[in-house]
Amino acid sequence: GVWGDRRIVDEMVGLANPEKGLISLAQGDPTVFGHLLPPKAAVEEVTRAFGAYTHNGYTSSAGAPAARSAVAKRYSLPDRPALRAEDVFMTIGCSEALSHVIAAMAVEGANVLLPRPGFPLYETLCQRHGVAYKFYDLDGENGWEIKLDALTHLRDDHTVAIIVNNPSNPCGAVYSEEHLRGICATCETLRLPIIADEVYEDVAFDATRPFLPIAQFSGRVPVMSVSALSKRWLAPGWRLGWLVMHDYDHILSTAGVHMAINNLCQVSLGPAAPIQAAVPAILEAREEEWLQTTLDMLRVASKYCIDRCSRVRGLSVPSEPQGAMYVLLKVREDAFTEEEGFTDVTFCKRLLAEESVLMLPGTCFHAPGYLRLVITVPEDELERAWDRIECFCERHSSERKFTDSPKDLTEKLKSSLTFVDSCASSDDGLMPSDASATG
């Protein structure tokens, strides 16, 4: 569960090898290394909003009218009634948008269907609001698509919604139109509203497989879509998110969900007024070139990880990421020497202790046997990390024992020692005292 995941991460704090500078491939904050920056126009608009001295007071608790209207305009869909400002709620990041939706659906005895693998915050929020949850599985051999047949057996009379995360954390899946239509058709049959976590919108690597909002294909199924400036606009610290209600048949509003969310907004009073004031211009800015440059960097990093992984014993990528900011690596336990089995948790702890490379074990995302690697890392840092991962995997390989002749092993050991030595002596700088926290 959530607390077990937290314990795993807590146990990793302080494990890093002090002889080597820490390289973190764990933090889901794209801004950490400084090479991925928000659009210049977005920064200028926020600066202008603060400088105007007209956005220092409270605004409407559900969001500034201009910001809500701008979001409604951006997410209005062809062949659907145009969204209104009242269909939008501005929130403190995407996390609060998710929290509001789950809280609003939290009738007595309610349960929600969550993806597995999936983002641990979903569970945390369900627990916080007293909502039960069940997991549906994603198919790791088939682009991490939802196993739709299983949804029928999971849904019961108390199931109030399903969370669909696309593009996905931690899987990097970007669903096709065909699969999105399949999800919507299944949800229509099951009379199941969709909570669409689309915070990685537009972060898709292949032009022939673009991000498509699920509400485009949802028919009568109500969709509560959440997003933010955090990933698509690379500004998680601005804490500006939104919730969009695609409730064209008024199913949710009739059930009182809009009213409940409106009441929840009155507790926190929404995100900072100057950031909200910048939203209309941020959403209208033409920043195709900036977006393309960002996607190119992520695509190159993703391909590099897949290429390096293919040359490392015991690791593989069963489904290549199509978007978002992560790669899921599969660990073949029997490829490594360890009497109790080389689990994903063992792998991450020992990699950190020996090589000062921090990754999160898949167990944290209900994906035991996998490792989540973040690709929002500069090329040189990624190369150093993979050199160390390769050293580590060679050192612990069980296959080497049985496949190498003594002569081959001696030669490999010599080159491996040179490789390890180069890892150890690389000019990383020493790890700062607080660098072993994952954030």
Side-chain angles (χ1 to χ4, degrees):
V2 177
W3 308 120
D5 301 342
R6 188 69 250 175
R7 182 179 50 76
I8 290 167
V9 175
D10 287 345
E11 286 173 359
M12 293 173 73
V13 172
L15 278 183
N17 181 351
E19 301 295 316
K20 299 185 179 187
L22 179 74
I23 303 174
S24 176
L25 307 180
Q27 209 165 344
D29 179 348
T31 70
V32 166
F33 291 95
H35 69 305
L36 295 172
L37 299 169
K40 192 162 179 268
V43 176
E44 287 171 354
E45 287 303 328
V46 170
T47 306
R48 188 177 295 124
F50 274 98
Y53 290 96
T54 53
H55 307 291
N56 297 319
Y58 293 117
T59 184
S60 165
S61 58
R68 296 174 79 185
S69 294
V71 172
K73 181 181 176 185
R74 173 179 169 82
Y75 293 99
S76 288
L77 297 165
D79 308 321
R80 294 283 215 180
L83 293 168
R84 304 159 304 147
E86 301 79 60
D87 298 315
V88 174
F89 299 91
M90 306 304 293
T91 60
I92 302 171
C94 191
S95 302
E96 188 180 59
L98 282 165
S99 179
H100 284 352
V101 173
I102 292 169
M105 305 294 280
V107 294
E108 190 175 349
N111 68 69
V112 173
L113 305 185
L114 307 181
R116 180 170 59 196
F119 186 38
L121 182 68
Y122 304 146
E123 287 171 82
T124 306
L125 293 174
C126 284
Q127 290 176 356
R128 178 184 177 188
H129 297 301
V131 176
Y133 49 88
K134 304 179 191 178
F135 292 105
Y136 64 86
D137 289 314
L138 307 179
D139 187 351
E141 303 296 327
N142 186 30
W144 296 106
E145 289 190 348
I146 298 173
K147 295 181 178 180
L148 294 174
D149 293 347
L151 296 184
T152 308
H153 306 296
L154 285 170
R155 189 212 186 285
D156 61 33
D157 292 342
H158 301 289
T159 306
V160 294
I162 178 173
I163 294 183
V164 177
N165 179 205
N166 174 53
S168 104
N169 171 17
C171 304
V174 176
Y175 292 149
S176 65
E177 177 178 337
E178 181 185 7
H179 189 53
L180 291 170
R181 287 186 182 279
I183 296 167
C184 292
T186 302
C187 289
E188 182 148 15
T189 302
L190 298 177
R191 301 175 68 80
L192 200 54
I194 296 169
I195 299 169
D197 180 355
E198 298 180 334
V199 74
Y200 292 95
E201 60 179 286
D202 296 340
V203 186
F205 305 147
D206 186 347
T208 65
R209 182 77 163 236
F211 161 75
L212 300 168
I214 196 167
Q216 207 168 309
F217 314 108
S218 60
R220 292 191 68 247
V221 178
V223 173
M224 295 158 278
S225 175
V226 299
S227 190
L229 294 180
S230 56
K231 311 295 183 176
R232 158 68 172 76
W233 284 270
L234 300 177
W238 294 5
R239 308 309 304 135
L240 193 292
W242 49 82
L243 160 59
V244 180
M245 309 291 283
H246 296 273
D247 185 28
Y248 302 106
D249 288 301
H250 311 293
I251 294 167
L252 297 175
S253 57
T254 303
V257 175
H258 288 63
M259 183 64 74
I261 291 169
N262 203 64
N263 292 343
L264 289 161
C265 287
Q266 290 169 8
V267 177
S268 69
L269 303 180
I275 311 284
Q276 289 196 60
V279 164
I282 290 173
L283 297 188
E284 285 168 17
R286 298 188 62 80
E287 19 104 293
E288 290 87 352
E289 191 178 329
W290 166 84
L291 181 60
Q292 203 50 57
T293 302
T294 301
L295 292 177
D296 286 345
M297 284 195 274
L298 294 175
R299 188 185 299 111
V300 166
S302 176
K303 290 291 182 195
Y304 180 79
C305 291
I306 292 162
D307 179 53
R308 287 297 298 262
C309 181
S310 68
R311 297 182 305 208
V312 175
R313 299 192 213 225
L315 297 182
S316 62
V317 182
S319 284
E320 292 190 10
Q322 299 150 328
M325 299 175 175
Y326 313 95
V327 179
L328 269 188
L329 309 175
K330 190 169 189 176
V331 182
R332 189 156 57 81
E333 283 191 36
D334 63 359
F336 300 100
T337 53
E338 186 79 8
E339 285 179 21
E340 297 85 23
F342 213 80
T343 66
D344 56 304
V345 176
T346 308
F347 188 106
C348 288
K349 286 182 178 178
R350 295 189 64 169
L351 178 67
L352 182 60
E354 294 176 29
E355 296 290 349
S356 281
V357 174
L358 178 61
M359 287 195 280
L360 288 182
T363 296
C364 293
F365 305 90
H366 291 284
Y370 286 87
L371 315 167
R372 192 194 74 166
L373 184 151
V374 171
I375 60 172
T376 52
V377 180
E379 273 184 85
D380 57 340
E381 199 81 349
L382 209 49
E383 186 176 347
R384 271 200 294 275
W386 271 104
D387 287 348
R388 295 186 191 182
I389 292 166
E390 197 166 333
C391 287
F392 175 83
C393 290
E394 277 298 310
R395 192 181 313 128
H396 293 284
S397 171
S398 58
E399 293 174 3
R400 193 177 61 191
K401 285 186 169 182
F402 304 107
T403 58
D404 296 332
S405 69
K407 184 182 175 187
D408 289 341
L409 194 54
T410 305
E411 290 305 312
K412 284 190 179 180
L413 192 57
K414 280 181 186 172
S415 63
S416 178
L417 285 171
T418 308
F419 193 30
V420 172
D421 187 50
S422 70
C423 286
S425 61
S426 64
D427 185 22
D428 287 339
L430 290 174
M431 185 177 67
S433 59
D434 63 345
S436 54
T438 59

